[in-house]
């Protein structure tokens, strides 16, 4: 809908963004969405550990500046301790030089210094994932676990983690420091490094809990894993249909989805070592094999019989390996946690969440974890210069609940809404489906992740201002519910109530009511916004009662055009319509300007492109 039609009954996303941008231009503010989802937070309300940067000495400083990531308070050690035995987050003395690189080589002795109860927890990555890695470590240390190690795939990450007091070893990978992207050749190289790492550590004789960096631990998993001492391997899966309703292992006969190697536990048994070696040899012999597919192929070479009648373990691989499938309800995928909220529906406590079943790449993963309030950001993320703009969403019951849940009703609901929390009627997947996956316990409607509708990576990408206008920054819908939100932000609010000009007390004025509420006329022009809200530049949060009919459009047509160029790139697709190729349907910011617009897939290959 263009600004000329901004007062029709249906309100698409960008009408609200108009008002957001104009206030943002005045204050250089960010806009956020007030949360209506009370998801479980594993975040620690203490923020002191985030306060300072553990920096290396000048002569050891990396020659590339660090990104804005979680920062731990370094507690310099006064005693000469090994870098592997030093308590996590205790930074080395800055008067000391960093040890030689060879000191960080993986060895049994290095692992032994971190092992507890014969278990070592390991993840690995490159510098592009440092904020994920620090979040991963912080969750484990909050749970009282310190038997962990980080494999650094580049020396920049190794140095940064060392000076923050995080136990790290050199994988010798010489990996690029940038985000390599899912499915790229470098991505597959990282997968092979994981298998090489497993094959290297198992002969040391320790149990290995291997994890990807795009997951977080919400509950200590070690007592759960210890319940299955006979298991050689316990693996997570992409299962989206529950096979059990309690915390037992998933019923292996009913797990039709792939085993997911983002979370799995290995015991140093002969059977596990044979599997690791054969898996490694397979991948090194054929660079086209995806590591997870290779694992599934090997493990499923033989599947059955069950080890016994109670444990849930099954003989797999060569007939000797004892395998268990971790329940997807509590060792959660991105679908069972963020879409189905399976653990909530089954009244269970989740151990972990892995950002699978998501879109928009690494930016989408980070945003998902932020929506769940389980990602750790630095203090400035919660108290940005210029403050924040929020509003209270209001959706008619008819759009949300009435009628069938189908493509038409889903698009009617989405086209009405103004950013998150986004309610969806239909799930987004990359293959044909009937709206929600058959057998899953997805409730309709449900609060869907932002990446179901918006291209989060595009939202966060810096675009040339001369073509696309000012950057529009966002925060997750659960932002104000996050325990890390500082007091000075929580207590600096201005409530704005839209009113009809001409009614009582509805005039453009910067005078608030005795209760601190500002009444502001609907459909006010750009100059009125500037005049009134410039008086509140020191307020941290401005919250509107609604954004409907708040702002009719920019006076400057060049700015209007830049804005349109930007926001039309923000939305993605809904996927997928069965029995049609292509099966996706493009969301369109300006759908209401196109007579006869309907939510249908592109009818020809030439039509298969984002809306102009």
């Amino acid at each position: 809908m263009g600004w000329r039609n901004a007062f029709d009954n249906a309100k698409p996303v960008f009408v609200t963004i108009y008002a957001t941008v104009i206030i943002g231009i005045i204050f250089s503010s960010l806009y956020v969405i007030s949360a209506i989802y009370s998801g479980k937070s594993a975040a620690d309300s203490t923020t002191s550990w985030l306060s300072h940067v553990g920096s290396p000495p000048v002569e050891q400083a990396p020659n590339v500046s660090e990104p804005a990531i979680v920062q731990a308070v370094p507690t310099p050690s006064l005693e000469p301790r090994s870098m592997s035995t030093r308590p996590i987050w205790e930074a080395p003395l800055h008067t000391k030089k960093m040890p030689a690189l060879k000191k960080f080589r993986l060895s049994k002795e290095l692992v032994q210094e971190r092992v507890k109860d014969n278990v070592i927890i390991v993840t690995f990555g490159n510098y592009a994932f440092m904020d994920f890695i620090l979040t991963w470590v912080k969750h484990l240390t909050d749970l009282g676990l310190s038997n962990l190690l980080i494999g650094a795939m580049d020396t920049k990450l190794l140095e940064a983690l060392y000076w923050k007091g995080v136990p790290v070893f050199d994988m010798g990978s010489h990996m690029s420091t940038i985000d390599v992207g899912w499915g790229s050749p470098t991505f597959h190289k990282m997968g092979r490094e994981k298998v090489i790492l497993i094959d290297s550590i198992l002969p040391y004789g320790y149990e290995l809990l291997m994890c990807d960096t795009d997951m977080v631990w919400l509950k200590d998993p070690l007592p759960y894993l210890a319940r299955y001492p006979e298991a050689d391997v316990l693996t997570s899966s992409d299962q989206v249909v529950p096979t059990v309703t309690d915390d037992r292992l998933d019923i292996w006969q009913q797990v039709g989805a792939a085993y997911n190697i983002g979370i799995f536990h290995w015991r140093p048994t002969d059977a596990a070592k044979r599997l690791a070696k054969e898996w490694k040899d397979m991948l090194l012999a054929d660079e086209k094999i995806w590591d997870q597919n290779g694992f599934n192929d090997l493990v499923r070479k033989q599947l059955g019989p069950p080890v016994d009648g109670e444990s849930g373990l099954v003989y797999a691989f060569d007939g000797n390996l004892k395998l268990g499938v971790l329940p997807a309800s509590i060792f959660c995928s991105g679908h069972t946690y963020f879409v189905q909220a399976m653990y909530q529906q089954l009244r269970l406590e989740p151990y972990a969440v892995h950002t699978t079943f998501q879109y928009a790449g690494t930016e989408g993963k980070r945003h998902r974890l932020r929506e769940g309030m389980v990602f750790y950001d630095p203090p400035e993320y919660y108290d940005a210069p210029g403050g924040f703009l929020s509003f209270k969403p209001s959706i008619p019951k008819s759009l949300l609940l009435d009628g069938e849940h189908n493509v038409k009703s889903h698009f009617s609901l989405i086209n009405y809404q103004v950013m998150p929390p986004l309610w969806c009627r239909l799930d987004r997947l990359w293959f044909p489906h009937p709206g929600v996956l058959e057998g899953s316990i997805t409730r309709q409607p449900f609060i869907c992740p932002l990446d179901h509708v918006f291209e989060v990576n595009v939202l966060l990408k810096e675009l040339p201002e001369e073509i696309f206008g000012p950057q529009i920054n966002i925060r997750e819908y659960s932002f104000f519910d996050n325990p890390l939100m500082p007091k000075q932000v929580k207590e600096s609010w201005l409530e704005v109530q839209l009113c009809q000009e001409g009614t009582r007390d509805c005039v453009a004025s910067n005078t608030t009511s005795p209760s601190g509420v500002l009444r502001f006329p609907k459909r006010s022009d750009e100059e009125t916004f500037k005049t009134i809200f410039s008086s509140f530049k020191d307020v941290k949060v401005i919250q509107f009662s609604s954004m409907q009919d708040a702002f009719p459009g920019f006076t400057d047509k060049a700015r209007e055009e830049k804005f349109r160029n930007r926001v039309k790139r923000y939305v993605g697709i809904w996927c997928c319509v069965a029995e049609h190729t292509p099966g996706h349907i493009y969301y369109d910011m300006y759908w209401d300007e196109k007579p006869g617009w309907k939510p249908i897939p592109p009818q020809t290959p030439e039509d298969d492109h984002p809306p102009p």
Side-chain angles (χ1 to χ4, degrees), residues 37 143 153 162 165 174 193 230 258 260 276 292 314 318 327 353 377 380 444 480 509 528 579 606:
Y37 171 73
L143 293 168
M153 304 188 79
Y162 171 78
H174 307 294
E193 295 281 353
E230 298 301 314
N260 190 291
Q292 181 164 290
V314 58
D318 59 0
V353 54
D377 283 291
E380 56 267 25
Q444 292 175 274
F480 291 124
S509 168
T528 302
E579 300 178 357
E606 291 74 24

PDB file of all heavy atoms in Angstrom, residues 37 143 153 162 165 174 193 230 258 260 276 292 314 318 327 353 377 380 444 480 509 528 579 606:
ATOM      1  N   TYR A  37       5.398 -12.425  23.410  1.00  0.00           N
ATOM      2  CA  TYR A  37       5.732 -13.850  23.529  1.00  0.00           C
ATOM      3  C   TYR A  37       6.584 -14.048  24.758  1.00  0.00           C
ATOM      4  O   TYR A  37       7.577 -13.382  24.942  1.00  0.00           O
ATOM      5  CB  TYR A  37       6.500 -14.303  22.296  1.00  0.00           C
ATOM      6  CG  TYR A  37       7.085 -15.683  22.382  1.00  0.00           C
ATOM      7  CD1 TYR A  37       6.260 -16.791  22.298  1.00  0.00           C
ATOM      8  CD2 TYR A  37       8.452 -15.866  22.529  1.00  0.00           C
ATOM      9  CE1 TYR A  37       6.798 -18.055  22.363  1.00  0.00           C
ATOM     10  CE2 TYR A  37       9.001 -17.125  22.588  1.00  0.00           C
ATOM     11  CZ  TYR A  37       8.173 -18.223  22.502  1.00  0.00           C
ATOM     12  OH  TYR A  37       8.705 -19.484  22.568  1.00  0.00           O
ATOM     13  N   LEU A 143      26.017 -22.587  33.577  1.00  0.00           N
ATOM     14  CA  LEU A 143      25.513 -23.876  34.062  1.00  0.00           C
ATOM     15  C   LEU A 143      26.522 -24.583  34.963  1.00  0.00           C
ATOM     16  O   LEU A 143      26.276 -25.704  35.409  1.00  0.00           O
ATOM     17  CB  LEU A 143      25.166 -24.783  32.874  1.00  0.00           C
ATOM     18  CG  LEU A 143      23.993 -24.334  32.004  1.00  0.00           C
ATOM     19  CD1 LEU A 143      23.942 -25.145  30.716  1.00  0.00           C
ATOM     20  CD2 LEU A 143      22.671 -24.462  32.761  1.00  0.00           C
ATOM     21  N   MET A 153      39.829 -22.083  14.017  1.00  0.00           N
ATOM     22  CA  MET A 153      40.173 -22.398  12.633  1.00  0.00           C
ATOM     23  C   MET A 153      41.005 -21.301  11.980  1.00  0.00           C
ATOM     24  O   MET A 153      41.394 -21.429  10.825  1.00  0.00           O
ATOM     25  CB  MET A 153      38.902 -22.660  11.828  1.00  0.00           C
ATOM     26  CG  MET A 153      38.032 -23.755  12.434  1.00  0.00           C
ATOM     27  SD  MET A 153      36.648 -24.224  11.379  1.00  0.00           S
ATOM     28  CE  MET A 153      37.498 -25.284  10.209  1.00  0.00           C
ATOM     29  N   TYR A 162      42.043 -16.356  23.477  1.00  0.00           N
ATOM     30  CA  TYR A 162      43.093 -16.464  24.502  1.00  0.00           C
ATOM     31  C   TYR A 162      43.068 -15.252  25.426  1.00  0.00           C
ATOM     32  O   TYR A 162      43.106 -15.385  26.660  1.00  0.00           O
ATOM     33  CB  TYR A 162      44.460 -16.602  23.839  1.00  0.00           C
ATOM     34  CG  TYR A 162      45.598 -16.497  24.838  1.00  0.00           C
ATOM     35  CD1 TYR A 162      45.927 -17.581  25.656  1.00  0.00           C
ATOM     36  CD2 TYR A 162      46.326 -15.309  24.978  1.00  0.00           C
ATOM     37  CE1 TYR A 162      46.962 -17.482  26.591  1.00  0.00           C
ATOM     38  CE2 TYR A 162      47.355 -15.205  25.898  1.00  0.00           C
ATOM     39  CZ  TYR A 162      47.670 -16.280  26.703  1.00  0.00           C
ATOM     40  OH  TYR A 162      48.681 -16.189  27.632  1.00  0.00           O
ATOM     41  N   GLY A 165      40.391 -15.221  28.055  1.00  0.00           N
ATOM     42  CA  GLY A 165      40.385 -16.263  29.069  1.00  0.00           C
ATOM     43  C   GLY A 165      39.532 -17.453  28.709  1.00  0.00           C
ATOM     44  O   GLY A 165      39.031 -18.160  29.598  1.00  0.00           O
ATOM     45  N   HIS A 174      43.901 -22.856   8.968  1.00  0.00           N
ATOM     46  CA  HIS A 174      44.195 -21.689   8.122  1.00  0.00           C
ATOM     47  C   HIS A 174      42.928 -21.239   7.386  1.00  0.00           C
ATOM     48  O   HIS A 174      42.954 -20.909   6.204  1.00  0.00           O
ATOM     49  CB  HIS A 174      45.310 -21.999   7.126  1.00  0.00           C
ATOM     50  CG  HIS A 174      46.543 -22.554   7.782  1.00  0.00           C
ATOM     51  ND1 HIS A 174      47.328 -21.820   8.639  1.00  0.00           N
ATOM     52  CD2 HIS A 174      47.097 -23.799   7.726  1.00  0.00           C
ATOM     53  CE1 HIS A 174      48.327 -22.565   9.071  1.00  0.00           C
ATOM     54  NE2 HIS A 174      48.208 -23.771   8.534  1.00  0.00           N
ATOM     55  N   GLU A 193      36.684 -30.853   8.899  1.00  0.00           N
ATOM     56  CA  GLU A 193      37.504 -30.574  10.072  1.00  0.00           C
ATOM     57  C   GLU A 193      36.852 -31.139  11.338  1.00  0.00           C
ATOM     58  O   GLU A 193      37.542 -31.608  12.248  1.00  0.00           O
ATOM     59  CB  GLU A 193      37.698 -29.057  10.222  1.00  0.00           C
ATOM     60  CG  GLU A 193      38.476 -28.403   9.098  1.00  0.00           C
ATOM     61  CD  GLU A 193      39.974 -28.595   9.231  1.00  0.00           C
ATOM     62  OE1 GLU A 193      40.419 -29.126  10.266  1.00  0.00           O
ATOM     63  OE2 GLU A 193      40.708 -28.210   8.302  1.00  0.00           O
ATOM     64  N   GLU A 230      25.630 -47.241  28.115  1.00  0.00           N
ATOM     65  CA  GLU A 230      25.927 -48.251  27.100  1.00  0.00           C
ATOM     66  C   GLU A 230      26.016 -47.667  25.698  1.00  0.00           C
ATOM     67  O   GLU A 230      26.477 -48.335  24.765  1.00  0.00           O
ATOM     68  CB  GLU A 230      24.846 -49.344  27.116  1.00  0.00           C
ATOM     69  CG  GLU A 230      24.763 -50.099  28.433  1.00  0.00           C
ATOM     70  CD  GLU A 230      26.085 -50.783  28.767  1.00  0.00           C
ATOM     71  OE1 GLU A 230      26.659 -51.424  27.853  1.00  0.00           O
ATOM     72  OE2 GLU A 230      26.549 -50.662  29.909  1.00  0.00           O
ATOM     73  N   ALA A 258      16.677 -36.975   9.197  1.00  0.00           N
ATOM     74  CA  ALA A 258      18.126 -37.184   9.266  1.00  0.00           C
ATOM     75  C   ALA A 258      18.631 -37.015  10.690  1.00  0.00           C
ATOM     76  O   ALA A 258      18.099 -36.218  11.475  1.00  0.00           O
ATOM     77  CB  ALA A 258      18.833 -36.189   8.348  1.00  0.00           C
ATOM     78  N   ASN A 260      21.147 -35.350  13.016  1.00  0.00           N
ATOM     79  CA  ASN A 260      21.817 -34.057  12.862  1.00  0.00           C
ATOM     80  C   ASN A 260      23.103 -34.056  13.679  1.00  0.00           C
ATOM     81  O   ASN A 260      23.081 -34.334  14.883  1.00  0.00           O
ATOM     82  CB  ASN A 260      20.899 -32.926  13.310  1.00  0.00           C
ATOM     83  CG  ASN A 260      21.446 -31.567  12.950  1.00  0.00           C
ATOM     84  OD1 ASN A 260      22.449 -31.128  13.501  1.00  0.00           O
ATOM     85  ND2 ASN A 260      20.804 -30.897  12.010  1.00  0.00           N
ATOM     86  N   ALA A 276      34.142 -43.263  13.484  1.00  0.00           N
ATOM     87  CA  ALA A 276      34.801 -41.983  13.231  1.00  0.00           C
ATOM     88  C   ALA A 276      35.849 -42.111  12.130  1.00  0.00           C
ATOM     89  O   ALA A 276      35.947 -41.255  11.245  1.00  0.00           O
ATOM     90  CB  ALA A 276      35.436 -41.461  14.517  1.00  0.00           C
ATOM     91  N   GLN A 292      27.184 -34.516   7.018  1.00  0.00           N
ATOM     92  CA  GLN A 292      26.008 -35.077   7.692  1.00  0.00           C
ATOM     93  C   GLN A 292      25.404 -36.231   6.895  1.00  0.00           C
ATOM     94  O   GLN A 292      24.987 -37.239   7.476  1.00  0.00           O
ATOM     95  CB  GLN A 292      24.954 -33.983   7.919  1.00  0.00           C
ATOM     96  CG  GLN A 292      23.710 -34.484   8.648  1.00  0.00           C
ATOM     97  CD  GLN A 292      22.878 -33.347   9.207  1.00  0.00           C
ATOM     98  OE1 GLN A 292      23.279 -32.669  10.148  1.00  0.00           O
ATOM     99  NE2 GLN A 292      21.714 -33.120   8.604  1.00  0.00           N
ATOM    100  N   VAL A 314      19.816 -48.646  19.823  1.00  0.00           N
ATOM    101  CA  VAL A 314      19.680 -49.561  18.702  1.00  0.00           C
ATOM    102  C   VAL A 314      21.077 -49.880  18.161  1.00  0.00           C
ATOM    103  O   VAL A 314      21.975 -49.028  18.165  1.00  0.00           O
ATOM    104  CB  VAL A 314      18.802 -48.947  17.581  1.00  0.00           C
ATOM    105  CG1 VAL A 314      19.375 -47.626  17.091  1.00  0.00           C
ATOM    106  CG2 VAL A 314      18.627 -49.924  16.428  1.00  0.00           C
ATOM    107  N   ASP A 318      27.905 -50.981  11.982  1.00  0.00           N
ATOM    108  CA  ASP A 318      28.434 -52.305  11.650  1.00  0.00           C
ATOM    109  C   ASP A 318      27.776 -53.417  12.454  1.00  0.00           C
ATOM    110  O   ASP A 318      28.247 -54.549  12.452  1.00  0.00           O
ATOM    111  CB  ASP A 318      29.949 -52.334  11.876  1.00  0.00           C
ATOM    112  CG  ASP A 318      30.331 -52.002  13.323  1.00  0.00           C
ATOM    113  OD1 ASP A 318      29.417 -51.754  14.147  1.00  0.00           O
ATOM    114  OD2 ASP A 318      31.550 -51.986  13.625  1.00  0.00           O
ATOM    115  N   PRO A 327      15.963 -36.881  22.164  1.00  0.00           N
ATOM    116  CA  PRO A 327      14.595 -36.425  21.866  1.00  0.00           C
ATOM    117  C   PRO A 327      14.582 -35.006  21.307  1.00  0.00           C
ATOM    118  O   PRO A 327      15.166 -34.082  21.895  1.00  0.00           O
ATOM    119  CB  PRO A 327      13.895 -36.505  23.226  1.00  0.00           C
ATOM    120  CG  PRO A 327      14.988 -36.474  24.239  1.00  0.00           C
ATOM    121  CD  PRO A 327      16.165 -37.134  23.598  1.00  0.00           C
ATOM    122  N   VAL A 353      19.139 -25.663  22.090  1.00  0.00           N
ATOM    123  CA  VAL A 353      18.461 -25.256  20.865  1.00  0.00           C
ATOM    124  C   VAL A 353      19.520 -25.029  19.803  1.00  0.00           C
ATOM    125  O   VAL A 353      20.538 -24.379  20.038  1.00  0.00           O
ATOM    126  CB  VAL A 353      17.597 -23.996  21.064  1.00  0.00           C
ATOM    127  CG1 VAL A 353      18.393 -22.846  21.648  1.00  0.00           C
ATOM    128  CG2 VAL A 353      16.962 -23.570  19.734  1.00  0.00           C
ATOM    129  N   ASP A 377      24.636 -10.214  23.837  1.00  0.00           N
ATOM    130  CA  ASP A 377      25.154  -9.060  23.121  1.00  0.00           C
ATOM    131  C   ASP A 377      25.830  -8.110  24.101  1.00  0.00           C
ATOM    132  O   ASP A 377      25.555  -8.143  25.307  1.00  0.00           O
ATOM    133  CB  ASP A 377      24.012  -8.328  22.400  1.00  0.00           C
ATOM    134  CG  ASP A 377      23.572  -9.037  21.132  1.00  0.00           C
ATOM    135  OD1 ASP A 377      24.363  -9.044  20.172  1.00  0.00           O
ATOM    136  OD2 ASP A 377      22.457  -9.584  21.095  1.00  0.00           O
ATOM    137  N   GLU A 380      26.004  -2.079  24.786  1.00  0.00           N
ATOM    138  CA  GLU A 380      25.535  -1.024  23.885  1.00  0.00           C
ATOM    139  C   GLU A 380      24.406  -1.489  22.969  1.00  0.00           C
ATOM    140  O   GLU A 380      23.665  -0.670  22.421  1.00  0.00           O
ATOM    141  CB  GLU A 380      26.696  -0.470  23.054  1.00  0.00           C
ATOM    142  CG  GLU A 380      27.463  -1.494  22.239  1.00  0.00           C
ATOM    143  CD  GLU A 380      28.674  -2.052  22.983  1.00  0.00           C
ATOM    144  OE1 GLU A 380      28.666  -2.032  24.235  1.00  0.00           O
ATOM    145  OE2 GLU A 380      29.611  -2.525  22.305  1.00  0.00           O
ATOM    146  N   GLN A 444      -1.815 -23.377  15.238  1.00  0.00           N
ATOM    147  CA  GLN A 444      -2.164 -22.348  14.263  1.00  0.00           C
ATOM    148  C   GLN A 444      -3.215 -21.419  14.862  1.00  0.00           C
ATOM    149  O   GLN A 444      -4.241 -21.904  15.340  1.00  0.00           O
ATOM    150  CB  GLN A 444      -2.711 -22.988  12.981  1.00  0.00           C
ATOM    151  CG  GLN A 444      -1.662 -23.771  12.190  1.00  0.00           C
ATOM    152  CD  GLN A 444      -2.266 -24.476  11.000  1.00  0.00           C
ATOM    153  OE1 GLN A 444      -2.770 -25.594  11.136  1.00  0.00           O
ATOM    154  NE2 GLN A 444      -2.219 -23.847   9.838  1.00  0.00           N
ATOM    155  N   PHE A 480      12.493  -5.958  24.867  1.00  0.00           N
ATOM    156  CA  PHE A 480      12.235  -5.318  26.151  1.00  0.00           C
ATOM    157  C   PHE A 480      11.955  -6.312  27.277  1.00  0.00           C
ATOM    158  O   PHE A 480      11.884  -5.925  28.442  1.00  0.00           O
ATOM    159  CB  PHE A 480      11.080  -4.322  26.030  1.00  0.00           C
ATOM    160  CG  PHE A 480      11.422  -3.118  25.199  1.00  0.00           C
ATOM    161  CD1 PHE A 480      10.667  -2.772  24.099  1.00  0.00           C
ATOM    162  CD2 PHE A 480      12.527  -2.333  25.511  1.00  0.00           C
ATOM    163  CE1 PHE A 480      10.988  -1.675  23.322  1.00  0.00           C
ATOM    164  CE2 PHE A 480      12.858  -1.228  24.743  1.00  0.00           C
ATOM    165  CZ  PHE A 480      12.090  -0.893  23.650  1.00  0.00           C
ATOM    166  N   SER A 509       1.250  18.939  20.248  1.00  0.00           N
ATOM    167  CA  SER A 509       1.908  19.631  21.346  1.00  0.00           C
ATOM    168  C   SER A 509       2.891  18.682  22.015  1.00  0.00           C
ATOM    169  O   SER A 509       2.697  17.463  22.006  1.00  0.00           O
ATOM    170  CB  SER A 509       0.859  20.114  22.360  1.00  0.00           C
ATOM    171  OG  SER A 509       1.473  20.538  23.560  1.00  0.00           O
ATOM    172  N   THR A 528       5.469  18.203  11.427  1.00  0.00           N
ATOM    173  CA  THR A 528       4.865  18.104  12.763  1.00  0.00           C
ATOM    174  C   THR A 528       5.618  17.096  13.612  1.00  0.00           C
ATOM    175  O   THR A 528       5.883  17.323  14.801  1.00  0.00           O
ATOM    176  CB  THR A 528       3.388  17.720  12.657  1.00  0.00           C
ATOM    177  OG1 THR A 528       2.696  18.683  11.857  1.00  0.00           O
ATOM    178  CG2 THR A 528       2.737  17.661  14.034  1.00  0.00           C
ATOM    179  N   GLU A 579       2.218 -29.132  -6.018  1.00  0.00           N
ATOM    180  CA  GLU A 579       1.765 -29.353  -7.392  1.00  0.00           C
ATOM    181  C   GLU A 579       1.856 -28.088  -8.249  1.00  0.00           C
ATOM    182  O   GLU A 579       0.998 -27.831  -9.095  1.00  0.00           O
ATOM    183  CB  GLU A 579       0.332 -29.899  -7.398  1.00  0.00           C
ATOM    184  CG  GLU A 579       0.214 -31.229  -6.647  1.00  0.00           C
ATOM    185  CD  GLU A 579      -1.210 -31.728  -6.619  1.00  0.00           C
ATOM    186  OE1 GLU A 579      -2.098 -31.021  -7.124  1.00  0.00           O
ATOM    187  OE2 GLU A 579      -1.421 -32.817  -6.067  1.00  0.00           O
ATOM    188  N   GLU A 606       9.361 -16.342 -16.310  1.00  0.00           N
ATOM    189  CA  GLU A 606       9.673 -14.912 -16.422  1.00  0.00           C
ATOM    190  C   GLU A 606       9.103 -14.119 -15.241  1.00  0.00           C
ATOM    191  O   GLU A 606       9.608 -13.041 -14.912  1.00  0.00           O
ATOM    192  CB  GLU A 606       9.109 -14.354 -17.731  1.00  0.00           C
ATOM    193  CG  GLU A 606       9.798 -14.860 -18.994  1.00  0.00           C
ATOM    194  CD  GLU A 606       9.430 -16.314 -19.331  1.00  0.00           C
ATOM    195  OE1 GLU A 606       8.338 -16.762 -18.898  1.00  0.00           O
ATOM    196  OE2 GLU A 606      10.239 -16.977 -20.004  1.00  0.00           O
TER     197      GLU A 606
END
